Amino acid sequence: MNPVTHEDLVKIKEEVNSKVSKNWISVGLSTCGIAAGAQDTFFALKNEARLRKLPFEVRRSGCAGVCAQEPLVVVAAEGMPVVTYGKLTKDKVKRLFDEHIIGKKVLSDLALNTHDPKQMRIVLRNCGEIDPESIRDYVARDGYFALSKVLKGYTPEQVNEEMKVSGLRGRGGAGFPTGIKWEITRKVEADQKYIICNGDEGDPGAYMDRGVLEGDPHSVIEGLAIGGYGIGATRGFFYIRAEYPLAIERIEKALKQAYLYGLLGKNILGSGFSFDIEIRLGAGAFVCGEETALIASIEGRRGYPHPRPPYPSVKGLWGKPTCINNVETLANIPVIFLKGGPWFAGIGHEKSKGTKVFALTGKVEKSGLVEVPMGTTLREIVFDIGGGAAKGKKVKAIQTGGPSGGVIPSEHFDTPVSYENLQKLGSIMGSGGMIVMDEDDSMVDIAKFYLGFCVDESCGKCAPCRIGGKQMLGYLEKITEGRGEPEDLDKLRKISHTMQKASLCGLGQTAPNPVLSTLRYFENEYKEKMAHKAVAAS
């Protein structure tokens, strides 16, 4: 087909929206839904509609975030309100048709109230709403209009300035201002520049990026293309962990569609800007989430981190200026340019602008993906959105930021979530994992688990991480086995501070966080394990 123009995008949007059926059923077919049996539900719905000769379009969607209620099904029937049903397995399909579609009665025991006033969906705006394998569905919701707007009306310098005005900070963990990163890369003179989407999401319990890649792949492609224009890159890469097969499949399909429509490749939208994207797969090494190790992996080398400076913005992929942004960061970009940097900057808290997607998991009643404005308190996230601890237990703490994050006790849950506030509490934002712990969890065991993960995932290149992590793990094992000594706690602190100061990359620098934070707030639990030893010896 011929490359589309801006006018073609407008026509596609109008055409798709004009043909929206009054009778449709949408099934969440991302990894969480598929694991809960959504594919069986999907085919059962299609078969039932066919057998009954009813004019219902049964279509797929991505993850809507309500993961604890999968399989998730949304039903729109003429003369009825649009209803979202949870845990609608294939054995309930006939009942759905009998009672809801034929009987015009809502199934109250399965119906969900998905409107949550505390959430604000920017990154997840299309997830659960569109077919992630349809570029036309994406265009119908203003997809690629931001790219068109940028290419028609912005210089690269204006793009970077708008990003600085927005206040968007990198959602991969470090929180570096995105506009400044783009501007630095733009100013470096080079014959070739690259931009990379970091989809190497490796934190236990975190799946924000997977949800976006599976549920709205075109938004990330569009954000990557706008970023490429802003920094002067003509080539982009997706770096996605191989353990995300569905995310990879949907990005591959989305890229083919974008090329077919002329939204990637040569002379995009007649602007003279050309941009190509390739996919590279990670082999499951946690350290490859670190940007210099990621670059080494794309180049075909072992995923070792390298000292900085020079930073990738100056000397990155194949020695050329390279900008790396994570999935969530890029998914924000199209909305920022459609609604303006000042609009985005008006959302959030102090220096932390916009929204943040969190994977709320662990001992919580309503696990799933949540997106809230920065500044929302931990209490609101855990209790108002998550429903508190499962099985009637008391919430004891929450761990933010993955294995490199810290454990925050419940008495600090009224803290507004921001990069700075979490650091003050001894944790980090990270990529957005939030794991809830209840009264039964031992904080010493928690610290040992996360440190053990970091020890396993250390690349071993630098001694502080390689040796220090192993030493710390040895002390934690000694304490949990009832052989701990009081001086072990001082040794844990000393090694932690050494690792923070001397480790080569962020893995080693942040690996002690779970230990330091549990020592800060739950030192009594360490001492209790030592007291048991003293009693046993007497």
Side-chain angles (χ1 to χ4, degrees):
M1 74 182 273
N2 294 325
V4 298
T5 63
H6 176 80
E7 291 69 28
D8 292 328
L9 292 176
V10 174
K11 289 178 182 177
I12 292 169
K13 177 181 176 179
E14 292 174 347
E15 180 184 341
V16 173
N17 289 330
S18 68
K19 292 182 178 179
V20 172
S21 171
K22 294 180 180 179
N23 298 302
W24 53 265
I25 302 172
S26 175
V27 184
L29 286 174
S30 284
T31 296
C32 49
I34 292 170
Q39 281 185 317
D40 290 337
T41 298
F42 178 76
F43 291 118
L45 286 164
K46 288 179 76 74
N47 188 53
E48 196 68 22
R50 180 181 58 81
L51 290 174
R52 298 186 187 226
K53 298 180 180 179
L54 292 173
F56 270 81
E57 177 190 359
V58 181
R59 60 197 191 199
R60 74 172 66 80
S61 66
C63 174
V66 196
C67 305
Q69 295 294 326
E70 296 283 5
L72 212 64
V73 174
V74 182
V75 182
E78 194 169 3
M80 291 281 287
V82 177
V83 180
T84 301
Y85 289 114
K87 298 185 178 179
L88 205 146
T89 48
K90 65 177 182 178
D91 57 297
K92 298 169 185 172
V93 166
K94 291 184 183 299
R95 181 189 167 201
L96 176 73
F97 274 83
D98 288 340
E99 297 183 27
H100 182 114
I101 294 173
I102 304 299
K104 303 296 182 182
K105 178 183 176 182
V106 174
L107 283 59
S108 57
D109 57 318
L110 297 175
L112 303 175
N113 177 13
T114 56
H115 175 69
D116 189 336
K118 293 191 178 298
Q119 295 202 51
M120 182 178 184
R121 294 169 73 90
I122 297 176
V123 173
L124 301 179
R125 61 194 179 276
N126 293 326
C127 294
E129 300 287 335
I130 66 171
D131 180 348
E133 297 185 12
S134 169
I135 190 173
R136 293 175 65 84
D137 270 19
Y138 181 67
V139 171
R141 291 174 66 95
D142 294 324
Y144 291 106
F145 280 75
L147 178 61
S148 177
K149 181 179 179 181
V150 164
L151 296 182
K152 288 176 65 177
Y154 286 74
T155 65
E157 291 75 17
Q158 289 172 326
V159 166
N160 298 334
E161 190 60 36
E162 190 78 4
M163 288 302 301
K164 288 194 290 183
V165 169
S166 75
L168 176 66
R169 296 169 65 175
R171 299 301 196 242
F176 191 81
T178 304
I180 294 177
K181 180 184 279 191
W182 286 13
E183 183 179 63
I184 292 170
T185 315
R186 174 74 189 177
K187 289 182 176 179
V188 179
E189 295 290 337
D191 59 348
Q192 178 68 59
K193 296 179 184 179
Y194 302 101
I195 184 167
I196 299 171
C197 172
N198 184 352
D200 191 55
E201 183 176 52
D203 294 1
Y207 56 99
M208 303 76 57
D209 292 350
R210 188 195 77 202
V212 176
L213 292 172
E214 291 179 354
D216 193 15
H218 283 286
S219 69
V220 190
I221 292 171
E222 186 177 10
L224 196 64
I226 292 171
Y229 178 74
I231 70 169
T234 57
R235 291 182 66 190
F237 289 88
F238 275 97
Y239 186 84
I240 308 173
R241 59 192 303 105
E243 294 92 335
Y244 283 177
L246 184 58
I248 294 164
E249 177 185 329
R250 288 188 174 161
I251 285 291
E252 286 175 340
K253 288 181 179 178
L255 287 174
K256 289 179 181 178
Q257 291 170 350
Y259 273 108
L260 180 65
Y261 277 65
L263 295 165
L264 289 176
K266 303 294 183 184
N267 192 27
I268 298 171
L269 293 167
S271 65
F273 173 63
S274 300
F275 188 70
D276 291 293
I277 298 177
E278 301 175 44
I279 299 175
R280 294 289 187 272
L281 304 185
F286 181 65
V287 74
C288 284
E290 193 276 336
E291 57 184 15
T292 62
L294 183 155
I295 287 171
S297 180
I298 291 179
E299 292 176 343
R301 297 182 290 114
R302 183 170 179 174
Y304 270 156
H306 296 278
R308 298 173 302 175
Y311 290 90
S313 292
V314 176
K315 186 178 180 181
L317 189 62
W318 293 299
K320 304 296 183 180
T322 304
C323 184
I324 303 174
N325 297 122
N326 95 315
V327 169
E328 185 180 340
T329 305
L330 293 167
N332 276 293
I333 307 302
V335 186
I336 288 174
F337 282 95
L338 285 177
K339 297 193 175 184
W343 171 83
F344 190 85
I347 304 165
H349 179 77
E350 297 178 349
K351 297 179 181 179
S352 299
K353 304 298 184 181
T355 60
K356 182 72 188 79
V357 181
F358 293 102
L360 188 63
T361 59
K363 307 283 188 66
V364 65
E365 187 67 32
K366 301 174 184 176
S367 61
L369 295 180
V370 303
E371 184 174 2
V372 295
M374 292 281 199
T376 304
T377 66
L378 290 167
R379 188 173 306 280
E380 290 173 304
I381 296 171
V382 174
F383 290 95
D384 295 347
I385 298 174
K391 301 179 181 178
K393 299 283 187 177
K394 290 182 179 179
V395 174
K396 184 175 184 177
I398 189 170
Q399 203 241 4
T400 71
S404 303
V407 177
I408 301 171
S410 58
E411 57 262 33
H412 290 288
F413 277 15
D414 290 317
T415 302
V417 171
S418 70
Y419 291 95
E420 289 75 21
N421 284 343
L422 292 182
Q423 288 173 352
K424 289 176 184 176
L425 293 175
S427 189
I428 59 174
M429 184 79 70
S431 59
M434 279 192 173
I435 300 178
V436 177
M437 301 160 193
D438 69 17
E439 57 193 284
D440 296 333
D441 286 309
S442 162
M443 295 297 104
V444 185
D445 290 339
I446 292 293
K448 185 177 75 170
F449 169 79
Y450 283 112
L451 187 65
F453 177 87
C454 290
V455 168
D456 287 343
E457 294 295 334
S458 172
C459 73
K461 183 174 183 178
C462 72
C465 179
R466 182 182 70 248
I467 300 173
K470 189 68 175 177
Q471 287 179 325
M472 288 180 66
L473 185 60
Y475 285 119
L476 289 174
E477 289 171 344
K478 180 181 174 185
I479 292 169
T480 56
E481 292 168 4
R483 300 181 290 108
E485 306 285 348
E487 57 268 24
D488 292 342
L489 303 187
D490 290 331
K491 292 175 181 177
L492 282 170
R493 290 188 176 94
K494 288 178 180 178
I495 298 171
S496 293
H497 296 318
T498 300
M499 287 180 65
Q500 288 177 326
K501 292 178 181 178
S503 293
L504 178 60
C505 80
L507 191 154
Q509 293 162 8
T510 57
N513 283 343
V515 177
L516 289 173
S517 60
T518 51
L519 281 172
R520 176 178 174 179
Y521 298 116
F522 300 100
E523 186 174 350
N524 61 305
E525 294 195 23
Y526 286 83
K527 291 180 177 179
E528 284 172 5
K529 289 187 179 290
M530 295 175 184
H532 288 316
K533 173 196 173 184
V535 170
S538 62

